[in-house]
Amino acid sequence: MTTVLESPLHPAAPTAHGATAAVRVLLADGHHLFRSGLGALLDRESDLAVVAESPTAEEAAAEAARTRPAVAVLDPDLPGPGGPATAALIRDRAPATALLLLTAQARTADLQRAVADGVAGVLLKDVPPAALIAAVRELARGGRVYDPRLVVDAVRGDASPLTPREVTVLGHVADGSTIHEVAAALSLSPGTVRNYVSAAIAKTRARNRCDAIRIARERGWL
């Protein structure tokens, strides 16, 4: 169920006693039951160790900085700034951590955005447990893993005309943020945010921002 696009072999570093250290994993998902179940699944593997679990983007970034995991498994719809912004936060605070997005929906935009943002892996949440475990190990070795269903959709579907920044801005607007709130969240001027929104409206051939959001969602760009 997974497609490995890149697989440089970097074995886990040995400990001082010669044993191989377990791969440290951080889990970030807003649903406690799912997060706990995933943690129990990974902890059953002798070579994997869940070192932190977080329900929000902010906590995930803080835990990544504290625990320095080899792999962070993230829900792209995590409460807070969302998957791409969370990924950027974790890269800033723990740059050696490989990022794996675990999404509930087969959205081409998730894969396109992940590739653009340097995310090492994207899987659907219905992936078999063995495939998820294998993906975590592959990312820890420095590989890249993408769900083939997302890859096929990306090849067959229309390429998104939106830039990653336009997607981020439109996503904030879709969540109900005002222009000034988006500007503050992204450290941009309100005029720049309006320009991004206008560009998104033009590129989607929409009538207004609400129509642009609808079109982008329907086509898997948002």
Side-chain angles (χ1 to χ4, degrees):
M1 295 298 293
T2 60
T3 297
V4 179
L5 302 185
E6 227 174 272
S7 181
L9 297 180
H10 299 308
T15 65
H17 301 288
T20 300
V23 173
R24 297 165 62 81
V25 182
L26 174 136
L27 304 178
D29 192 285
H31 296 90
H32 176 72
L33 186 61
F34 179 83
R35 193 174 66 248
S36 298
L38 182 57
L41 172 71
L42 296 179
D43 270 336
R44 286 205 301 264
E45 302 299 312
S46 61
D47 61 331
L48 304 179
V50 176
V51 295
E53 296 183 15
S54 305
T56 68
E58 290 81 1
E59 287 188 27
E63 286 297 322
R66 184 181 68 83
T67 61
R68 301 290 175 177
V71 179
V73 181
L74 312 173
D75 182 346
D77 296 319
L78 198 64
T86 305
L89 284 174
I90 291 178
R91 280 200 307 273
D92 287 343
R93 301 187 189 184
T97 298
L99 305 177
L100 172 61
L101 297 187
L102 198 56
T103 177
Q105 301 180 52
R107 297 178 299 198
T108 302
D110 285 334
L111 178 59
Q112 295 170 331
R113 191 180 308 162
V115 172
D117 289 345
V119 172
V122 184
L123 296 177
L124 294 175
K125 282 189 173 181
D126 65 353
V127 69
L132 174 60
I133 291 168
V136 171
R137 289 173 176 148
E138 184 63 32
L139 265 64
R141 289 195 294 264
R144 294 177 180 272
V145 180
Y146 300 117
D147 195 296
R149 291 167 291 180
L150 292 172
V151 175
V152 170
D153 287 345
V155 172
R156 290 178 177 173
D158 295 332
S160 174
L162 304 175
T163 67
R165 179 61 89 178
E166 289 163 356
V167 170
T168 299
V169 169
L170 200 61
H172 278 280
V173 173
D175 288 338
S177 297
T178 67
I179 293 295
H180 286 277
E181 288 171 342
V182 176
L186 301 179
S187 299
L188 300 171
S189 70
T192 298
V193 172
R194 290 190 184 92
N195 288 340
Y196 281 126
V197 172
S198 295
I201 292 172
K203 289 180 178 180
T204 56
R205 298 183 180 181
R207 296 184 302 274
N208 50 48
R209 69 181 65 174
C210 292
D211 195 33
I213 291 167
R214 177 188 61 78
I215 292 170
R217 283 177 168 167
E218 287 178 353
R219 297 186 181 180
W221 301 338
L222 182 63

